[in-house]
Amino acid sequence: MKFTINRNLFINNLTNVMRAISSRATIPILNGIKLVLTDDALTLTGSDTDISIELKIPASDDLRIETPGTIVLNARFFSEIIKKLPGKEFSFNVLDGFQTKISSETSEFTINGLDANSYPRLPEVSDDKAFNLPGRTLREIIDETVFAVATSESRVMLTGVRFNFASDKIKAIATDSHRLSQRAISLEKGPEVETDLIIPGKSLQELSRIIGETDPDIRICPGESQVLFEIGNLSFYSRLLEGNYPDTSRLLPDSSTTQVNFSLAGLLSALDRASLLTHAGRNNVVKLNLNVTEQKVVISGESPEIGNVEENLAFTNLSGEDLVISFNPDYLRDALRASVTSEIEMKFTESLRPFTVTPNKAEIDFVQLITPVRTF
């Protein structure tokens, strides 16, 4: 196995494949990256069993192929070596006994490899239900929901985002039982067959980073236990969570007693200041006092060890009944950072009932729910 390749081209592709490789792999060979060289392409593969990424680099002036072959190399060491090589390109040559020589200008490394035949096969996913989506749409809906998934494995289903792909709409829901984010975006052309998938949050975070700021056309192939996302020359496999996602529709209130509108930037800044002290205490809680009678909104926080903070908030509309409510400021901060408008509306029912955060534009189908904290 022998080839010469442009180093920057290789690093850019290697970075994406490395997203699938875990430092805590339960199968030792999955600490490695698989390289397969054919007469017309170099294929890189990484996997941690939950996520698998395969990426093909076609032969060109930047990739000159001499002898086809396969090898598995320790991903961490291999990646660090390539990043630190001095030249614009490097040569890669597998010697006898899986030893691999990597050379660039005056630098030369020889590292031990493994037999690629021992590397697990990638999942087989049918393309019978495949459909295309704009990359920007998929990345947007991921970023607006994935932060709300559970991090504890005690309720595995909640560690994923539930997606419903219909012919005219994509809808995603995430909740960790303390907060919820639900977003729907209209599609010009969705799948012919309506599809429900529960995709792990970790997979979605890595997929979002791969999509980046570009807007590639993404082909989605739903399978029984895996889903495949095809982005150009990259194939991203993720396992699916199996089971029934909880019915979250009953959690969303259909009425409210108090409503207030805030500038997104103004509320976010005030929240950051209030939580400076609450983060130092054992109880990370801020209090929001909505005084409709006096048309006044006050946010406050305290730490018994350090002190307290209180600030009058500017708002554009306040109506309904007076209300005092306490909540985790980090949950509201995450909700505000995911918001898509410069002004948001918050709706409340009671001090100990969840409240909603929505855009101030009715045509945007996006609602976030936050559970308050009992302070007495």
Side-chain angles (χ1 to χ4, degrees), residues 78 81-82 85 90-92 100-103 107-109 111:
F78 180 51
I81 287 170
I82 301 303
L85 288 175
F90 68 89
S91 295
F92 184 102
T100 302
K101 184 170 73 173
I102 302 166
S103 54
S107 180
E108 183 175 294
F109 287 83
I111 58 176

Side-chain angles (χ1 to χ4, degrees), residues 222-277:
E224 292 298 321
S225 60
Q226 295 272 337
V227 59
L228 167 62
F229 299 89
E230 295 180 342
I231 311 168
N233 64 339
L234 184 146
S235 298
F236 184 105
Y237 299 80
S238 171
R239 73 179 177 96
L240 297 172
L241 298 178
E242 299 179 5
N244 295 318
Y245 198 83
D247 180 13
T248 57
S249 59
R250 58 185 177 81
L251 302 176
L252 298 172
D254 51 15
S255 62
S256 61
T257 57
T258 308
Q259 307 83 34
V260 61
N261 286 51
F262 292 108
S263 154
L264 177 68
L267 179 57
L268 192 54
S269 296
L271 191 65
D272 283 340
R273 289 188 289 273
S275 59
L276 278 174
L277 298 188

